[in-house]
């Protein structure tokens, strides 16, 4: 019986998974903080879409994209489990 061995591919998969999770976390936190920060800005010369600034709308789009990607990733992982 051979013991479980950690291969180079296992390590690369773990590193890639970690990096993907960190990117998703960064993008989500950036979008939230950017959205909130835009309320503090006092300049009137910025684009707006209704009550929100352009940056706030883009932040919502980025956050929705991150959440959608995480949802799809989670659903794919559930289907692949034995």
């Amino acid at each position: 019986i051979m013991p479980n061995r950690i291969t180079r591919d296992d390590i690369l998969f773990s590193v890639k998974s970690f990096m993907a999770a960190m990117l998703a976390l960064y993008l989500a936190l950036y979008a939230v903080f950017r959205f909130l920060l835009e309320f503090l800005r006092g300049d009137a010369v910025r684009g707006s879409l209704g009550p929100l600034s352009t940056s706030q709308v883009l932040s919502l789009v980025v956050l929705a994209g991150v959440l959608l990607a995480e949802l799809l990733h989670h659903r794919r992982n559930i289907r692949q489990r034995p």
Side-chain angles (χ1 to χ4, degrees):
I1 299 173
M2 291 190 62
N4 290 339
R5 298 178 76 186
I6 297 175
T7 66
R8 182 178 65 91
D9 289 339
D10 294 333
I11 294 170
L12 288 176
F13 178 77
S14 295
V15 169
K16 286 180 182 179
S17 296
F18 176 77
M19 295 299 287
M22 289 298 102
L23 177 61
L25 179 63
Y26 172 78
L27 288 173
L29 289 176
Y30 179 84
V32 168
F33 285 117
R34 180 64 188 248
F35 183 86
L36 296 174
L37 182 67
E38 286 294 315
F39 282 119
L40 301 176
R41 290 184 60 175
D43 58 346
V45 188
R46 59 181 179 169
S48 63
L49 298 168
L52 300 176
S53 71
T54 306
S55 296
Q56 286 174 315
V57 172
L58 290 175
S59 293
L60 291 175
V61 169
V62 169
L63 185 59
V66 169
L67 293 175
L68 178 63
E70 287 298 314
L71 176 68
L72 294 174
H73 177 72
H74 180 70
R75 291 178 80 194
R76 184 176 60 228
N77 284 345
I78 288 175
R79 288 183 186 158
Q80 290 179 353
R81 288 185 184 163

